[in-house]
């Protein structure tokens, strides 16, 4: 059984400074609906704290899908990629954060990849186009995913000034992320994100 | 009149109908022409539409081809790796490779974060950046203007596995594809793709030159409807189809423009239209000609009629030719009939003026014209001509006894005979029974005699009128111009004188004019005048010539003979004055006096002596003879049986019915009737059968020739035997010799009269004779 440790806010917030401030970031789409599973990261100015890398992370391939679809891991985390399908998989990522290729040609074959740079690592399978997953390698402890209300709340942050970035697998934005400055004393930020519908499986005929 | 005022109906008809037909034909031609042009335009429009559809297919095909290639490239693992890692050389070589395969010059990668890697240096990064937004929006195909030229943009996303960018092919929409499209079309159209990015429409390497703003606006307007329209392209009127093409970037527009030169489109139509125009023109000419001909056919007869009417008005007699049986022909026929009537009427008027109504011969007026004409001719060339004047013998008698209708019939018959016998000469009637013939004569004077004889012969052919047959006769007086007269009046007078002479010479003959006739004519006129006074003056007396009865040998009767003692000329013979008296009608009064006188004298004579009185036919038919005799007998107390009326056969000429009635009336009185001059003239045995004459007096001519001619004796014998058989007495006249007497006795003649016995004597001599009782015949063998 693979333990999947999610970089939870509480876990990351243990190393919060004495002076703590709450921060709530709300992400809505163009229609004003809350966007869940957006990854919100807060970088206080000059007081960045990288999360502690530890634990094992697993992204399995089962039923021609990556599981989980979205994984937030700290910098330096090692993620193993077990193939639970009968088919072969050719897992790759061309992301600047981590370029790798894993040719998993047998069932139960498992390989591990170490993500040592912060950034978003999209995963694909060269054999199965529809297989996509994202690994968000974060270097900030204030990293959280928005809930069903589109809110990511941080109980204790150093407070502003700083910057908040928002990333989402389907986000449409130059550079692939949204970013706003957090002023001192500011505890709330609202993001409006334009989302792409999930990419359809591409057909060769059109 | 709606049309102009044409002088000629033909022109009017031609113009009217030609105009009518022209309008109709032009209308039809215009409609046809429009239809041809329309159908040509429609045809072109259809062609353009189908070409448009073909282009759509081509466009899609090309689009698919490019997309397939783009997708293929975008999927390639190595390529994705290169794009993801922004490995420009790899990317470019891969793009070069694909572009070469696809025959595309412009291909580039637009990365998701907006970076561009291109193989076409001509396209600036700024331009490609514009593409990011639509690419990001998910547009993968369309038309966009890059480097100033419209291009077909075909993109494929590069997924690694998320979207990291797009492979974009941007081939120019250049001539080659347009040409192939043009080749696919059935008509030689021009195809071009135009695109607009912001300002003006620009054109790829199509064959349509840059559009003016107005044309572009027009094209844009029509683009929505999908219908063809017409506008000027490159200065040439064209039929155009504008099809919108999908634009790639917002604010951009693109269209496919198919144009076809209208002139070319309508070239065939123009040929057709030209042919139609030629046909129309020919048709019009033909129509004009046909109309002209038809109008001519209608109006020619009318024109002929018009001309004929004009000529008729100027006095000519024209007939127009009648062709066919339509109204015009009937009109022409009516016109001819009218002309005929006019001619007839003119002739009738002329005839009335110059012709005699009864016989149709030229009348006196025309005769004088003809005469003048002949005089002129005669003066000019010295030729002769003869004037024959003739009248019918005894015509008055015929007219009076048979009535005027019979007389008219005789005149008509005479005219016909004259016309026939004097063919080639002028024949006229001057009035009554007076006819004239003008005969031109050459050198042969005998021709005049011949003609006169021929005329007499022709007239004396027996004729039947009212069932009575009799033989007319004519006398002719002839005067020859210029000898016998240098003018018409003189010539006619002289011919008349010659006619009197001919009548005197015995009827049924002809005579030429001599100067002496002039004198005689004057004498005769004088005689007529004297004769009128003679009765009043008591210048007449009767002489009596005894008749001897050869059986009883004594004087049995006296014939009363009229004598006229003219105060200047002495005694005038009855031969000289009786015809005049008959002609003038004086004979009636004179004759009545004779009967009274004779009866009065005879009453004083012995009772066995009869008195014979000559009665003229004129008296007989017009003189109320019956009454005269009745009165004379009553006045004198003379026994009717002692009065013997001597008539000649000529009285029967005026119709035997009336004559016989009169004779029977005399008979009823008891008066004897003797037929005088028997054997001459009109002797007819039927008279003897139809009336029981008491006596026949054999004409002196037979007695004169009795001893010298064989026939005479036979005739006298025949007469006496016939008379004997009919129980009629006979008297021989003009007995001068004893031998004659002997012969007459032998023939059984009843009585004789003549110088052998006694000449006519006065009353006193007769009375002396009775006193001397010398009534017996002496010295008679």
């Amino acid at each position: 059984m693979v333990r999947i440790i999610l970089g939870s806010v509480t876990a990351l917030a243990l190393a919060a400074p004495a002076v703590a401030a709450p921060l709530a970031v709300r992400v809505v789409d163009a229609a004003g609906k809350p966007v869940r599973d957006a990854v919100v990261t807060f970088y206080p100015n000059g007081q960045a704290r990288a999360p502690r890398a530890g634990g094992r992370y697993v992204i399995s391939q089962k039923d021609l899908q990556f599981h989980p679809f979205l994984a937030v891991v700290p910098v330096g985390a090692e993620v193993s990629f077990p193939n639970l399908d009968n088919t072969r998989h050719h897992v790759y990522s061309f992301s600047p954060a981590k370029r790798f290729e894993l040719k998993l040609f047998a069932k139960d074959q498992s390989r591990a990849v170490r993500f040592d740079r912060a950034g978003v690592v999209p995963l694909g399978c060269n054999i199965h186009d529809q297989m996509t997953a994202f690994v968000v390698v974060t270097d900030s402890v204030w990293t959280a995913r928005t809930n069903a209300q589109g809110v990511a709340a941080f109980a204790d942050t150093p407070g502003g000034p700083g910057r908040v970035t928002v990333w989402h697998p389907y986000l449409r934005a130059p550079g692939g992320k949204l970013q706003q400055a957090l002023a001192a004393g500011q505890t709330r930020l609202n993001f409006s994100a334009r989302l792409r519908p999930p990419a359809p499986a591409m057909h060769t005929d059109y | 009149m709606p049309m102009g005022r044409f002088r000629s109906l033909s022109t009017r008809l031609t113009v009217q109908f030609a105009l009518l037909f022209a309008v109709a034909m032009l209308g039809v031609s215009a409609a046809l022409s429009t239809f041809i042009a329309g159908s040509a335009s429609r045809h072109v429009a259809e062609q353009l539409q189908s070409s448009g559809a073909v282009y759509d297919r081509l466009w899609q095909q090309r689009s698919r081809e490019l997309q397939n290639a783009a997708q293929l490239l975008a999927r390639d693992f190595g390529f994705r790796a290169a794009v993801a890692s922004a490995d420009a050389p790899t990317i470019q070589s891969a793009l070069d490779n694909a572009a070469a395969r696809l025959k595309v010059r412009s291909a580039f990668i637009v990365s998701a974060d907006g970076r561009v890697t291109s193989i076409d240096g001509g396209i600036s990064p700024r331009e490609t950046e514009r593409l990011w937004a639509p690419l990001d929006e998910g547009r993968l195909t369309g038309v966009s203007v890059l480097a100033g030229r419209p291009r077909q943009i075909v993109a494929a996303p590069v997924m690694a596995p998320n979207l990291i960018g797009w492979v974009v092919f941007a081939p120019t929409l250049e001539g080659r594809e347009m040409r192939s499209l043009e080749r696919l079309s059935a008509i030689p159209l021009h195809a071009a793709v135009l695109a607009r990015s912001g300002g003006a429409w620009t054109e790829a390497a199509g064959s349509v030159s840059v559009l003016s703003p107005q044309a572009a606006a027009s094209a844009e307007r029509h683009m929505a409807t999908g219908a063809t329209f017409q506008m000027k392209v490159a200065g040439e009127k064209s039929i155009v189809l504008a099809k919108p093409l999908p634009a790639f970037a917002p604010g951009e527009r693109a269209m496919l423009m198919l144009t076809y030169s209208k002139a070319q489109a309508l070239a065939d139509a123009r040929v057709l239209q030209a042919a139609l125009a030629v046909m129309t023109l020919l048709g019009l000419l033909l129509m004009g000609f046909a109309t002209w001909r038809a109008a001519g056919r209608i109006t020619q007869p009318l024109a002929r009629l018009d001309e004929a009417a004009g000529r008729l008005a100027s006095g000519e007699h024209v007939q127009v030719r009648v062709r066919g049986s339509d109204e015009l022909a009937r009109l022409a026929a009516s016109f001819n009939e009218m002309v005929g009537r006019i001619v007839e009427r003119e002739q009738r008027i002329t005839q009335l003026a110059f012709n005699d109504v009864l016989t149709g011969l030229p009348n006196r007026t025309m005769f004088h014209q003809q005469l003048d004409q002949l005089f002129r001719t005669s003066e000019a060339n010295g030729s002769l001509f003869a004037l024959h004047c003739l009248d019918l013998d005894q015509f008055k008698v015929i007219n009076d006894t048979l009535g005027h209708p019979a007389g008219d019939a005789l005149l008509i018959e005479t005219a016909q005979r004259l016309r026939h016998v004097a063919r080639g000469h002028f024949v006229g009637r001057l009035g009554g029974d007076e006819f004239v013939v003008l005969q031109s004569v050459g050198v042969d004077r005998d021709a005049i005699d011949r003609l006169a004889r021929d005329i007499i012969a022709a007239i004396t052919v027996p004729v039947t009128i009212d069932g009575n047959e009799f033989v007319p006769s004519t006398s002719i007086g002839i005067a020859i111009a210029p000898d016998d007269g240098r003018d018409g009046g003189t010539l006619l007078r002289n011919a008349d004188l010659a006619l009197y002479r001919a009548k005197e010479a015995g009827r049924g003959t002809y005579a030429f004019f001599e100067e002496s006739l002039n004198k005689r004519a004057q004498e005769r006129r004088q005689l007529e005048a004297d004769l009128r006074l003679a009765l009043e003056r008591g210048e007449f007396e009767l002489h009596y010539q005894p008749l001897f009865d050869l059986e009883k040998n004594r004087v049995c009767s006296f014939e009363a003979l009229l004598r006229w003692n003219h105060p200047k000329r002495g005694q005038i013979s009855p031969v000289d004055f009786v015809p005049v008296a008959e002609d003038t009608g004086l004979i009636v009064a004179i004759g009545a006096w004779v009967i009274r006188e004779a009866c009065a004298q005879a009453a004083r004579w012995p009772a066995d002596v009869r008195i014979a009185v000559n009665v003229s036919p004129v008296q007989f038919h017009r003189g109320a003879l019956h009454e005269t005799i009745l009165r004379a007998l009553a006045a004198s107390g003379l026994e009717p049986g002692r009065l013997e009326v001597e008539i000649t056969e000529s009285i029967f000429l005026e119709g035997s019915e009336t004559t016989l009635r009169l004779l029977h009336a005399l008979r009823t009185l008891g008066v004897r009737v003797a037929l005088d001059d028997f054997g001459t003239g009109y002797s007819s045995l039927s008279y003897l059968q139809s009336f029981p004459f008491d006596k026949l007096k054999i004409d002196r001519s037979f007695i004169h020739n009795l001893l010298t001619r064989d026939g005479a004796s036979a005739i006298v014998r025949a007469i006496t035997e016939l008379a004997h058989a009919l129980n009629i007495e006979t008297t021989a006249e003009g007995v001068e010799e004893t031998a004659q007497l002997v012969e007459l006795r032998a023939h059984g003649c009843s009585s004789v009269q003549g110088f052998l016995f006694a000449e006519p004597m006065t009353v006193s001599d007769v009375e002396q004779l009775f006193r001397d009782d010398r009534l017996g015949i002496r010295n008679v063998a």
Side-chain angles (χ1 to χ4, degrees):
Chain A
M1 189 72 198
V2 179
R3 268 180 56 210
I4 298 169
I5 311 280
L6 296 174
S8 72
V9 175
T10 46
L12 296 174
L14 288 177
V19 184
L23 170 64
V25 175
R26 188 159 185 263
V27 182
V28 292
D29 65 10
K33 287 196 176 120
V35 175
R36 66 176 295 172
D37 290 331
V39 180
V40 179
T41 310
F42 172 60
Y43 293 98
N45 290 354
Q47 298 179 42
R49 273 178 57 191
R52 204 163 29 86
R56 284 185 53 118
Y57 299 92
V58 178
I59 295 178
S60 60
Q61 300 113 63
K62 191 172 189 308
D63 301 331
L64 306 185
Q65 284 295 346
F66 286 109
H67 298 279
F69 171 65
L70 173 60
V72 179
V73 298
V75 171
E78 192 168 281
V79 180
S80 63
F81 293 90
N83 180 1
L84 305 180
D85 281 324
N86 296 328
T87 63
R88 298 178 178 191
H89 290 294
H90 176 183
V91 182
Y92 69 91
S93 175
F94 298 133
S95 60
K98 185 67 189 176
R99 289 191 57 157
F100 69 94
E101 276 181 63
L102 298 173
K103 292 179 177 165
L104 301 167
F105 292 154
K107 188 173 160 52
D108 293 330
Q109 194 176 10
S110 175
R111 305 277 285 278
V113 176
R114 186 181 173 79
F115 296 91
D116 43 15
R117 283 179 61 191
V120 177
V121 182
L123 299 177
C125 171
N126 196 26
I127 298 167
H128 305 105
D129 280 345
Q130 77 276 16
M131 289 172 65
T132 314
F134 291 92
V135 179
V136 178
V137 183
T138 181
D139 55 355
S140 172
V141 289
W142 298 287
T143 301
R145 289 162 71 164
T146 55
N147 60 12
Q149 282 72 48
V151 175
F154 303 92
D156 50 348
T157 60
R163 59 194 172 89
V164 177
T165 62
V166 172
W167 175 92
H168 188 276
Y170 305 140
L171 182 68
R172 292 184 62 199
K177 55 172 68 160
L178 300 171
Q179 183 174 290
Q180 282 191 61
L182 185 75
Q186 195 176 8
T187 59
R188 302 189 73 86
L189 265 182
N190 283 319
F191 278 85
S192 177
R194 287 167 59 225
L195 297 185
R196 264 197 196 89
M202 277 192 273
H203 305 286
T204 46
D205 57 347
Y206 203 102
Chain B
M1 191 161 111
M3 303 295 298
R5 293 193 179 282
F6 293 107
R7 282 281 300 138
S8 134
L9 178 64
S10 165
T11 315
R12 195 173 96 202
L13 280 176
T14 307
V15 170
Q16 271 181 342
F17 281 97
L19 270 179
L20 205 66
F21 284 126
V23 166
M25 275 193 78
L26 286 174
V28 169
S29 297
L32 264 176
S33 180
T34 311
F35 173 74
I36 289 168
S39 77
S41 294
R42 261 197 312 282
H43 173 70
V44 169
E46 281 163 18
Q47 284 293 334
L48 288 175
Q49 292 282 13
S50 66
S51 296
V54 166
Y55 186 79
D56 273 351
R57 297 294 303 274
L58 279 175
W59 173 270
Q60 287 176 6
Q61 208 178 324
R62 178 77 173 146
S63 187
R64 242 198 320 272
E65 182 192 15
L66 290 169
Q67 266 193 323
N68 290 344
Q71 283 171 3
L72 213 60
L73 188 62
R75 295 271 168 67
D76 182 78
F77 189 73
F79 184 73
R80 283 192 284 184
V83 173
S85 57
D87 175 2
T90 309
I91 291 170
Q92 287 199 337
S93 66
L95 284 176
D96 275 332
N97 183 43
R101 198 170 61 233
L102 294 168
K103 299 189 179 65
V104 169
R105 274 207 298 277
S106 298
F108 43 88
I109 295 291
V110 178
S111 71
D113 53 13
R115 283 177 297 104
V116 175
T117 313
S118 171
I119 58 164
D120 187 348
I123 298 171
S124 68
R126 207 166 43 75
E127 276 185 309
T128 46
E129 276 164 22
R130 267 193 312 112
L131 299 180
W132 182 87
L135 284 169
D136 183 57
E137 288 279 347
R139 276 205 81 77
L140 294 175
T141 57
V143 177
S144 185
V145 179
L146 294 176
R149 301 174 77 184
R151 291 160 193 270
Q152 181 175 14
I153 305 291
V154 175
V158 182
M159 308 295 286
N162 62 327
L163 183 71
I164 57 167
W166 298 270
V167 177
V168 181
F169 291 117
T172 52
L173 289 165
E174 61 194 342
R176 192 167 51 83
E177 284 167 39
M178 294 300 122
R179 292 299 80 77
S180 67
L181 172 62
E182 288 168 10
R183 273 200 303 279
L184 279 172
S185 171
I187 54 170
L189 49 78
H190 295 294
V193 170
L194 289 92
R196 194 181 71 178
S197 179
W201 285 90
T202 51
E203 186 208 341
S207 40
V208 182
S209 43
V210 176
L211 294 179
S212 67
Q214 294 95 321
S218 169
E220 265 186 283
R221 267 202 312 281
H222 285 97
M223 203 152 60
T225 64
T228 54
F229 59 99
Q230 295 191 13
M231 68 175 195
K232 272 198 164 169
V233 177
E236 200 181 9
K237 275 199 85 106
S238 304
I239 300 168
V240 181
L241 175 69
K243 282 180 79 80
L245 290 175
F248 194 82
E252 282 196 322
R253 305 287 305 276
M255 65 172 150
L256 169 69
M257 198 177 197
L258 299 171
T259 63
Y260 188 47
S261 145
K262 200 174 173 184
Q264 245 181 312
L266 297 182
D268 286 349
R270 289 271 179 266
V271 170
L272 262 178
Q273 280 175 326
L276 186 66
V278 168
M279 294 293 289
T280 305
L281 193 67
L282 278 176
L284 281 179
L285 287 173
L286 207 67
M287 187 58 59
F289 178 70
T291 311
W292 176 72
R293 280 288 305 275
R297 273 203 293 278
I298 295 167
T299 59
Q300 243 170 18
L302 285 176
R304 277 206 296 272
L305 273 173
D306 184 32
E307 188 210 1
R311 283 167 59 186
L312 182 69
S314 65
E316 277 184 77
H317 294 152
V318 281
Q319 293 277 303
V320 290
R321 211 166 19 169
V322 180
R323 281 214 211 98
S325 59
D326 56 6
E327 291 88 338
L328 285 168
R330 289 203 292 277
L331 180 61
S334 303
F335 177 84
N336 286 345
E337 205 179 320
M338 183 185 83
V339 171
R341 292 264 171 81
I342 289 171
V343 171
E344 231 172 76
R345 219 166 294 159
E346 280 182 7
Q347 281 173 348
R348 183 114 189 84
I349 292 165
T350 312
Q351 260 200 323
L352 287 176
F354 296 105
N355 289 75
D356 160 41
V357 182
L358 180 65
T359 60
L361 286 177
N363 63 8
R364 189 181 286 277
T365 313
M366 197 152 176
F367 162 71
H368 278 296
Q369 283 187 2
Q370 187 69 19
L371 203 52
D372 293 348
Q373 178 71 39
L374 281 170
F375 270 114
R376 279 199 293 277
T377 319
S378 150
E379 267 174 45
N381 58 19
S383 60
L384 299 177
F385 68 91
L387 167 60
H388 300 251
C389 264
L390 49 139
D391 71 7
L392 294 173
D393 299 332
Q394 306 296 338
F395 178 71
K396 283 198 182 71
V397 178
I398 292 167
N399 227 9
D400 292 341
T401 53
L402 290 185
H404 284 289
D408 288 351
L410 178 61
L411 289 174
I412 291 165
E413 177 64 25
T414 305
Q416 270 173 350
R417 292 180 182 188
L418 276 178
R419 244 191 233 116
H420 181 76
V421 75
R423 282 186 306 278
H425 304 298
F426 177 91
V427 178
R429 176 176 171 229
L430 302 187
D433 61 336
E434 264 187 281
F435 293 90
V436 285
V437 176
L438 284 169
Q439 177 187 16
S440 293
V441 186
V443 287
D444 181 15
R445 281 202 177 217
D446 290 348
I448 303 173
D449 291 75
R450 275 201 303 278
L451 179 62
R453 277 200 298 275
D454 288 349
I455 291 171
I456 290 166
I459 299 294
T460 43
V461 171
V463 62
T464 307
I465 291 172
D466 289 351
N468 304 306
E469 188 183 77
F470 59 89
V471 184
S473 81
T474 183
S475 307
I476 307 178
I478 302 167
I480 299 166
D483 306 353
D484 298 343
R486 296 200 159 273
D487 64 85
T490 310
L491 196 69
L492 187 58
R493 234 186 347 270
N494 293 343
D496 256 342
L497 291 170
L499 176 60
Y500 282 121
R501 189 175 161 216
K503 281 195 179 296
E504 285 167 357
R507 297 166 193 277
T509 182
Y510 64 94
F512 287 97
F513 168 75
E514 288 159 19
E515 192 49 48
S516 63
L517 285 176
N518 246 335
K519 276 220 311 281
R520 288 191 51 192
Q522 281 169 351
E523 280 169 15
R524 185 192 145 117
R525 277 196 292 279
Q526 187 59 54
L527 195 68
E528 271 181 39
D530 293 347
L531 202 52
R532 284 177 201 285
L533 296 169
L535 257 183
E536 296 171 27
R537 292 175 181 168
E539 289 170 2
F540 292 114
E541 67 166 320
L542 291 180
H543 286 198
Y544 303 93
Q545 187 174 25
L547 278 74
F548 283 85
D549 190 316
L550 291 184
E551 278 181 52
K552 297 173 180 167
N553 279 327
R554 65 176 195 83
V555 174
C556 60
S557 167
F558 285 90
E559 183 181 354
L561 296 167
L562 186 59
R563 292 290 177 268
W564 179 16
N565 300 309
H566 193 274
K568 286 178 189 158
R569 292 169 53 188
Q571 245 190 28
I572 298 176
S573 160
V575 177
D576 288 328
F577 73 84
V578 167
V580 178
E582 283 184 330
D583 283 349
T584 54
L586 288 168
I587 193 69
V588 174
I590 295 168
W593 175 83
V594 170
I595 294 168
R596 282 200 304 276
E597 180 71 20
C599 287
Q601 290 296 338
R604 294 201 286 269
W605 297 344
D608 57 354
V609 176
R610 292 195 293 264
I611 180 80
V613 180
N614 284 293
V615 173
S616 145
V618 180
Q619 274 176 280
F620 195 85
H621 291 294
R622 286 190 290 168
L625 184 67
H626 187 261
E627 222 172 299
T628 306
I629 291 173
L630 205 56
R631 281 185 185 169
L633 290 173
S636 62
L638 184 74
E639 282 264 342
R642 288 178 62 201
L643 177 58
E644 196 168 67
V645 174
E646 287 190 10
I647 57 166
T648 56
E649 290 163 324
S650 62
I651 62 162
F652 287 102
L653 284 179
E654 298 207 15
S656 30
E657 290 281 324
T658 40
T659 308
L660 287 172
R661 242 197 340 269
L662 279 165
L663 289 174
H664 281 293
L666 292 179
R667 244 310 158 63
T668 316
L669 291 177
V671 174
R672 288 165 56 87
V673 179
L675 192 53
D676 200 0
D677 300 340
F678 188 75
T680 61
Y682 314 99
S683 297
S684 170
L685 295 180
S686 64
Y687 302 148
L688 299 182
Q689 203 181 7
S690 58
F691 190 78
F693 289 99
D694 297 288
K695 182 189 275 187
L696 291 182
K697 294 186 81 178
I698 302 164
D699 191 76
R700 62 179 64 245
S701 59
F702 298 112
I703 310 305
H704 184 74
N705 297 326
L706 193 61
L707 304 174
T708 52
R709 264 196 214 168
D710 298 341
S713 176
I715 286 172
V716 172
R717 180 190 297 274
I719 292 170
T720 51
E721 281 180 6
L722 179 68
H724 194 73
L726 292 170
N727 197 20
I728 300 175
E729 290 178 28
T730 49
T731 300
E733 290 185 293
V735 181
E736 294 172 2
E737 295 168 35
T738 313
Q740 292 170 342
L741 181 63
V742 171
E743 183 78 12
L744 290 167
R745 270 190 189 282
H747 289 320
C749 198
S750 321
S751 54
V752 294
Q753 179 181 359
F755 292 165
L756 179 62
F757 304 97
E759 289 179 31
M761 52 189 75
T762 59
V763 175
S764 51
D765 289 344
V766 173
E767 285 172 352
Q768 187 65 47
L769 191 75
F770 288 135
R771 278 196 296 276
D772 296 353
D773 194 22
R774 289 191 291 117
L775 294 177
I777 299 176
R778 297 149 301 145
N779 315 322
V780 175

